[in-house]
Amino acid sequence: MVDITDFRNAMSLLSSAVNVVTTNGVAGQHGFTASAVCSVTDTPATLLVCMNTATYTYQFFEQNRVLAVNVLAGHHQDLSQTFASKLTSEQRFEKATWHSLITSSPILDDALVSFDCEIEQIQRVGTHGIFICRVVAIKQPQPYLQSEGLVYFNRGYRQVGI
């Protein structure tokens, strides 16, 4: 069996894009910061999003069954920290400008890219829920935004890109 500390130390060296994942629906508007997001397939366009089931907001994502993945730019470090904090949902969303596409999940106006999704499956593994999400709309800046991406590496924020 792998030691938890060894595993966490090893995973800290796996660079991950930083995202704010949001939802809106019968359970209200909520969001959290996530680095455990990845593509599953392009046919149909599907993402995987992992979320700790012990967090206060987990239940709202389960109830709403929709979410948006907002990929953060280099200048969004403060927003990432806001959505990882103990602030209320209302206080979190006051820190940026949002709109919606199809599902009504909040879409960050100046995200590098945003994926509007319906949650098709939820699988629980250990401490986390895995959301399998069908992408129903994508918002990309036109022309393509010339900005650095925000990643998390070795327990700290880094900027990558241009």
Side-chain angles (χ1 to χ4, degrees):
M1 176 110 100
V2 174
D3 177 74
I4 291 172
T5 302
D6 289 344
F7 181 73
R8 288 181 179 170
N9 288 337
M11 289 304 297
S12 75
L13 300 175
L14 177 64
S15 299
S16 300
V18 181
N19 310 278
V20 167
V21 181
T22 60
T23 190
N24 194 18
V26 295
Q29 181 174 272
H30 302 278
F32 70 103
T33 298
S35 59
V37 174
C38 69
S39 167
V40 175
T41 182
D42 64 358
T43 310
T46 306
L47 296 178
L48 173 151
V49 177
C50 297
M51 183 179 191
N52 190 316
T53 59
T55 63
Y56 170 71
T57 55
Y58 180 83
Q59 63 184 324
F60 305 126
F61 282 82
E62 268 191 325
Q63 291 170 25
N64 286 344
R65 304 288 295 192
V66 296
L67 61 77
V69 174
N70 297 282
V71 181
L72 300 186
H75 67 275
H76 286 131
Q77 182 174 333
D78 288 343
L79 188 64
S80 171
Q81 291 171 329
T82 294
F83 274 82
S85 74
K86 301 272 188 209
L87 293 174
T88 66
S89 289
E90 294 78 21
Q91 292 169 322
R92 291 176 180 189
F93 284 100
E94 288 173 357
K95 303 292 183 183
T97 306
W98 308 87
H99 67 281
S100 63
L101 297 174
I102 294 173
T103 71
S104 80
S105 297
I107 300 293
L108 178 62
D109 277 1
D110 63 343
L112 288 179
V113 63
S114 296
F115 300 90
D116 196 20
C117 304
E118 296 173 348
I119 300 172
E120 291 193 333
Q121 296 177 42
I122 301 173
Q123 179 74 39
R124 288 190 180 212
V125 177
T127 59
H128 281 64
I130 302 169
F131 301 133
I132 305 297
C133 308
R134 174 79 54 93
V135 178
V136 296
I138 298 173
K139 180 219 160 224
Q140 295 182 38
Q142 298 294 326
Y144 293 109
L145 186 65
Q146 299 294 312
S147 182
E148 293 183 327
L150 185 64
V151 299
Y152 201 73
F153 174 75
N154 201 16
R155 296 184 174 89
Y157 290 101
R158 310 284 189 258
Q159 294 183 21
V160 297
I162 308 168

